[in-house]
Amino acid sequence: MTSAPPEHPAVPARSRRHFLADVAAFAIACGVAPLLRAEPKLAGARDARDWLSRVDTVSRKLRATAIASGDWRRDIDALNASTTLAEFLPQLQFERALKAMRRAGKDPAKTFVKLAEVDGSLTKAAFAAAYFVFAKGQVITPHGHRGMVSAHTVVGGRLRTRTYDRLAREGDALLLKPRLDTLAEPGFSAAISATEGNVHWFVAETDASATLDVIVQDIDANGRDFAIELVDPLAGSADANGTIRAPLISWERSAARYQAG
Ligand SMILES: [Fe+2]
């Protein structure tokens, strides 16, 4: 059992509903609401194999640089928001991932989906899929990514999810702008691009909280070399524009600061 990390003073808890309401208000202010309304709703995936196939198609485009990471983020989020992934979990080996949950320690259990076992045509998929299954209080500490992007769909429990846009690197720190702070439940989806939501932080509020992640590596996103960059967003105060200078920190420091208790 661990205590939840301290609240970020600049990031009040907000629901996804409020977040979407903000987007709608912004669209009206910009005069683009009619365009948004005219956009057809993306049809969700029919079944697990259809979902995997569509994830593979958009991820292949990203790896071929036919689309940018921001396009990939939007496409994956739209697909996952319109797909009831919970119905496909038996086909996507969720049971095996649930069994891997451990109560000891503060790290969730990571279990890869064996894609070729679900669909024999995916022996050379452009992406990997993996579950993170958390016991209550387990934490993925704040970090950003280089050389990859990922998408995170909640498929069980409830996770406090915080994301930040990565504006730049400045010396031994990342400049971040808070993007989202919500209690995420099944159906919630948050993908990252090189910039948007690139830094994220997950704290499980219940046992068996779980995300199904899609991961695309070997791409140029803040450079091609794969790296996980741990940051301390609580260490920096926001400037007048809401930008936080978050120091890069070690694994040891990150665990001590964000998984203590
Ligand atoms: Fe991550």
Side-chain angles (χ1 to χ4, degrees), residues 140 143-145 148 150 152 192 198 200 202 213 228:
I140 293 179
H143 65 279
H145 289 281
M148 67 153 271
S150 56
H152 310 265
I192 74 170
N198 185 272
H200 46 202
F202 302 93
D213 296 4
I228 293 173

Side-chain angles (χ1 to χ4, degrees), residues 152-240:
H152 310 265
T153 301
V154 177
V155 294
R158 186 170 66 249
L159 297 126
R160 184 169 180 194
T161 301
R162 278 161 277 197
T163 70
Y164 302 82
D165 290 345
R166 176 196 185 112
L167 304 183
R169 176 161 178 165
E170 186 180 86
D172 59 357
L174 298 183
L175 299 184
L176 305 179
K177 191 140 198 175
R179 179 179 186 85
L180 182 67
D181 182 350
T182 193
L183 295 177
E185 295 183 329
F188 171 90
S189 179
I192 74 170
S193 70
T195 302
E196 299 153 311
N198 185 272
V199 168
H200 46 202
W201 172 13
F202 302 93
V203 182
E205 296 221 328
T206 66
D207 278 342
S209 292
T211 63
L212 173 54
D213 296 4
V214 170
I215 302 148
V216 183
Q217 292 186 203
D218 195 23
I219 61 165
D220 186 351
N222 306 304
R224 278 199 88 87
D225 290 338
F226 177 88
I228 293 173
E229 296 179 310
L230 295 149
V231 288
D232 189 352
L234 299 184
S237 54
D239 69 13

Side-chain angles (χ1 to χ4, degrees), residues 60-75:
R60 203 164 290 282
K61 287 181 188 170
L62 175 63
R63 290 185 61 172
T65 67
I67 60 172
S69 68
D71 301 319
W72 182 88
R73 184 192 70 80
R74 277 188 296 277
D75 287 353

